[in-house]
């Protein structure tokens, strides 16, 4: 009889490609991963791992069993989802993440509503960039992730995930009060060829979007400063250190010395929540999506997000 936890360990190894990666995903030690794999090899009486330099790789038997493990774990998740749906109660633990501005703009309202309406549900939240949140859902480390993409640059979603829209978030350009374009009714991105940009971290989805969008307008971006948080970016703008793109969600309160000017391109980002299809029937998933939608509607009414 194959042990489910050992299959889970093998699945984590296959997904992450290393003992340390599997240990981090499973929140155990590398020694625990090695012990579980040793026991699994004895159970199946075949070698599942082989040395590969300083690391390990799956053998042919390991890859074969890992493919079965992925399907078995998905079926277990589906069975648990069906049982939870049959019971019809919002209970247990729910793990979710959101990118920084959504964590500030949506989580306080949504999580407070979940606590008030479903006191038996234990919610654990974290602030993660969209790509990291999606990877966490795929691995099973997270139940839901609030993520985003931009009007001209979709975020690719792996197979097996379901998504629900929350809101469309308009963005404008933030300028220092004394900027040459600060008194304009609207501006074109092509007018910022000589400006320094305050952007997100290298490799982050929003940073890559900004570089792609500026270059499509004939601007080779001059990056002066990087900051993950919108408020940090806006304070750098207020100090006269550059310009930035500022979505409406999570923007307020605005620092003094910053002027927001609409863009002719009507830039928007799409905010949505994703979860695994095999967990679709869980009442806790449905309750969380409903709470997030309620928070998005409240944000839209108070801040003008559509």
């Amino acid at each position: 009889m194959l042990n489910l936890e050992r299959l889970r360990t093998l699945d984590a190894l296959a997904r992450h490609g290393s003992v340390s990666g599997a240990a981090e995903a499973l929140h155990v030690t590398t020694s625990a991963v090695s012990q579980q794999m040793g026991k699994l090899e004895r159970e199946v009486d075949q070698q599942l791992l082989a040395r590969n330099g300083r690391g390990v790789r799956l053998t042919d038997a390991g890859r074969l069993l890992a493919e079965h493990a992925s399907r078995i774990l998905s079926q277990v998740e589906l069975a648990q989802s069906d049982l939870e749906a049959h019971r019809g109660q919002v209970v247990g633990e729910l793990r979710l993440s959101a990118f920084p501005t959504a964590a500030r703009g949506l989580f306080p309202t949504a999580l407070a509503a979940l606590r008030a309406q479903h006191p038996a549900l234990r919610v654990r939240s974290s602030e993660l960039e969209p790509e990291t949140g999606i990877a966490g859902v795929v691995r099973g480390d997270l139940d839901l992730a609030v993520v985003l993409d931009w009007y001209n640059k979709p975020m690719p979603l792996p197979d097996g995930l379901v998504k629900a829209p929350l809101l469309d978030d308009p963005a404008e350009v933030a300028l220092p009060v004394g900027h040459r374009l600060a008194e304009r009714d609207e501006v074109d991105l092509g007018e910022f060829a000589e400006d320094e940009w305050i952007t997100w971290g290298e490799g982050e989805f929003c940073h890559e979007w900004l570089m792609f969008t500026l270059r499509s307008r004939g601007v080779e971006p001059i990056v002066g400063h990087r900051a993950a948080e919108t408020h940090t970016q806006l304070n750098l703008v207020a100090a006269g250190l550059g310009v930035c793109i500022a979505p409406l969600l999570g923007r307020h309160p605005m620092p003094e010395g910053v002027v927001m000017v609409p863009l002719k391109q009507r830039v928007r980002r799409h905010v949505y929540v994703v979860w695994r299809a095999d967990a679709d029937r869980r009442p806790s998933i449905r309750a969380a999506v409903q709470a997030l939608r309620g928070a998005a509607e409240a944000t839209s009414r108070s801040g003008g997000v559509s």
Side-chain angles (χ1 to χ4, degrees):
M1 182 67 71
L2 294 171
N3 180 280
L4 190 61
E5 287 307 310
R6 289 165 200 155
L7 289 180
R8 198 179 304 279
T9 302
L10 176 62
D11 179 66
L13 265 170
R15 289 179 183 275
H16 295 278
S18 68
V19 172
S20 59
E24 183 178 354
L26 296 170
H27 305 291
V28 299
T29 64
T30 55
S31 175
V33 170
S34 298
Q35 290 174 15
Q36 289 282 56
M37 289 305 302
K39 291 177 181 178
L40 185 58
E41 286 183 327
R42 291 192 291 274
E43 282 179 354
V44 301
D45 194 27
Q46 293 192 59
Q47 184 179 0
L48 303 176
L49 295 179
R51 289 289 178 188
N52 184 27
R54 294 184 177 181
V56 295
R57 61 173 177 81
L58 294 179
T59 63
D60 289 343
R63 285 194 296 271
L64 177 64
L65 186 56
E67 291 174 3
H68 284 289
S70 178
R71 292 193 291 270
I72 290 168
L73 292 170
S74 180
Q75 283 300 117
V76 169
E77 178 74 34
L78 185 60
Q80 291 173 335
S81 177
D82 284 346
L83 283 172
E84 191 176 320
H86 185 266
R87 184 169 53 184
Q89 297 177 341
V90 181
V91 297
E93 181 174 273
L94 192 71
R95 301 155 299 171
L96 68 163
S97 73
F99 59 95
T101 50
R104 186 193 322 118
L106 299 179
F107 270 7
T109 301
L111 301 190
L114 281 173
R115 173 171 289 187
Q117 297 167 13
H118 307 289
L121 179 66
R122 186 171 62 256
V123 179
R124 299 286 179 263
S125 69
S126 55
E127 191 175 280
L128 297 173
E129 290 300 323
E131 303 96 322
T132 308
I134 288 172
V137 173
V138 170
R139 292 194 305 265
D141 300 338
L142 295 169
D143 297 302
L144 303 101
V146 178
V147 300
L148 65 89
D149 58 22
W150 292 84
Y151 73 104
N152 61 342
K153 192 173 179 63
M155 168 76 77
L157 280 185
D159 293 337
L161 296 188
V162 179
K163 72 175 183 178
L166 296 177
L167 55 86
D168 277 355
D169 188 16
E172 299 173 335
V173 62
L175 309 174
V177 168
H179 193 278
R180 68 186 186 283
L181 302 175
E183 295 184 5
R184 291 271 294 276
D185 292 332
E186 60 180 14
V187 291
D188 188 286
L189 284 173
E191 298 180 85
F192 293 95
E194 304 302 320
D195 288 274
E196 285 194 55
W197 282 92
I198 299 162
T199 180
W200 296 268
E202 182 73 39
E204 290 185 14
F205 183 73
C206 287
H207 170 77
E208 296 303 320
W209 164 80
L210 181 61
M211 300 298 102
F212 165 81
T213 303
L214 288 171
R215 285 166 181 153
S216 72
R217 303 296 299 176
V219 175
E220 182 55 37
I222 304 169
V223 176
H225 306 277
R226 300 178 185 275
E229 260 289 355
T230 299
H231 274 192
T232 305
Q233 294 185 10
L234 290 172
N235 277 286
L236 291 170
V237 172
L241 298 174
V243 301
C244 77
I245 294 291
L248 185 55
L249 180 63
R251 182 194 300 175
H252 299 290
M254 287 284 296
E256 293 184 7
V258 176
V259 175
M260 303 304 306
V261 181
L263 286 158
K264 293 179 181 178
Q265 291 80 14
R266 296 297 182 259
V267 171
R268 288 178 178 270
R269 60 182 187 178
H270 312 299
V271 180
Y272 51 96
V273 58
V274 301
W275 64 94
R276 293 187 305 281
D278 54 23
D280 193 45
R281 295 187 61 197
R282 286 177 57 190
S284 57
I285 295 285
R286 296 184 178 187
V289 173
Q290 183 179 2
L292 286 164
R293 280 178 162 166
E297 290 173 6
T299 299
S300 299
R301 289 193 300 270
S302 63
V305 180
S306 62

